Amino acid sequence: MINYGEELAYWYLRLNGFFVIDNFVYHRTGNSRDGDADLIALRLPYVKESIGGNLGDWDESLFSHLGEYDVLAILCEVKTGHRANLSRVFENRKVKYTLNRVGFSDIEIKEMLSCNSSSFMLNHNRKILLKLLITEHGTDNQDTFLTFSLEHVEDFIYSRIKKYSNQKYNARHFFPSSLLQYMMYRSNRENR
């Protein structure tokens, strides 16, 4: 089960056109230990939806870092505690495991990790993996990962709900999240 921070991050990515896997398990390989990624997300280039899936609907803070792409994957970690240890959040074995899981070839993975593994964005021939940290208590952006605050994520979700308030509120029971349903209810109540 995901916590409130992970759930907000999940819906942030979903509302930005991604297919999302939560609690993705990294199985033990060699000397490494088992673990998980909070979220892995995948987005193809021509995502469109009549309600909330148009060019002006995507979060500019995220997409301003990207150019044209054929495949966009995000490895997302969410930290809501005060003492989050960030030193191993995006270690290479996790990045490699994720790249394998979302379908990058061995050649692409080798080139991505050898050319720019210390960057927040790995890119090979318009195939991108972005390392995203979402944190409640804020941290400076690092070269090795992009950072958004939980407040930014929540604000984006509310702005999307408000932009399509009638449609989102009327369809709220079809969203499998009591947190998101509540946000739609609250937004509708405030807009009366």
Side-chain angles (χ1 to χ4, degrees):
M1 182 57 109
I2 57 181
N3 67 40
Y4 71 96
E6 293 166 358
E7 189 167 356
L8 286 171
Y10 175 93
W11 287 106
Y12 169 80
L13 292 169
R14 280 281 303 271
L15 293 173
N16 273 294
F18 289 87
F19 294 104
V20 185
I21 300 171
D22 63 340
N23 294 320
F24 176 74
V25 175
Y26 298 117
H27 294 286
R28 184 180 314 268
T29 55
N31 294 333
S32 69
R33 56 184 168 65
D34 295 329
D36 75 320
D38 292 332
L39 302 167
I40 294 177
L42 191 64
R43 188 180 199 274
L44 300 173
Y46 305 109
V47 172
K48 252 178 125 173
E49 189 177 353
S50 58
I51 305 298
N54 298 294
L55 192 56
D57 292 328
W58 314 128
D59 184 9
E60 183 62 27
S61 298
L62 176 63
F63 287 92
S64 65
H65 296 283
L66 306 168
E68 293 289 317
Y69 62 87
D70 291 325
V71 176
L72 172 57
I74 291 184
L75 172 54
C76 179
E77 292 293 337
V78 181
K79 301 297 179 195
T80 56
H82 284 285
R83 298 178 188 249
N85 180 359
L86 304 179
S87 63
R88 296 174 50 168
V89 172
F90 296 105
E91 59 190 352
N92 272 353
R93 77 174 184 89
K94 295 177 181 179
V95 172
K96 184 177 179 184
Y97 205 109
T98 302
L99 288 167
N100 274 307
R101 180 60 176 96
V102 297
F104 288 77
S105 73
D106 289 340
I107 293 169
E108 291 167 333
I109 293 169
K110 183 178 179 182
E111 288 189 24
M112 290 171 103
L113 292 175
S114 67
C115 293
N116 48 20
S117 67
S118 62
S119 173
F120 72 87
M121 184 168 56
L122 309 180
N123 189 347
H124 179 74
N125 292 337
R126 295 170 43 115
K127 292 183 177 179
I128 296 171
L129 175 77
L130 189 90
K131 297 178 275 184
L132 176 63
L133 175 69
I134 296 175
T135 177
E136 181 177 349
H137 299 286
T139 184
D140 294 332
N141 270 324
Q142 312 268 328
D143 292 336
T144 55
F145 50 84
L146 183 62
T147 304
F148 289 157
S149 69
L150 205 54
E151 183 178 0
H152 172 81
V153 167
E154 182 184 19
D155 289 347
F156 173 82
I157 294 169
Y158 270 122
S159 72
R160 175 62 72 75
I161 291 169
K162 287 177 184 173
K163 186 173 182 179
Y164 297 100
S165 60
N166 286 338
Q167 297 94 332
K168 295 295 185 189
Y169 181 74
N170 291 335
R172 70 191 177 284
H173 296 296
F174 295 105
F175 289 89
S177 164
S178 57
L179 177 60
L180 191 65
Q181 289 176 18
Y182 173 75
M183 292 172 80
M184 291 172 183
Y185 160 77
R186 182 175 161 208
S187 178
N188 182 66
R189 192 180 73 202
E190 291 171 359
N191 288 334
R192 287 187 205 163

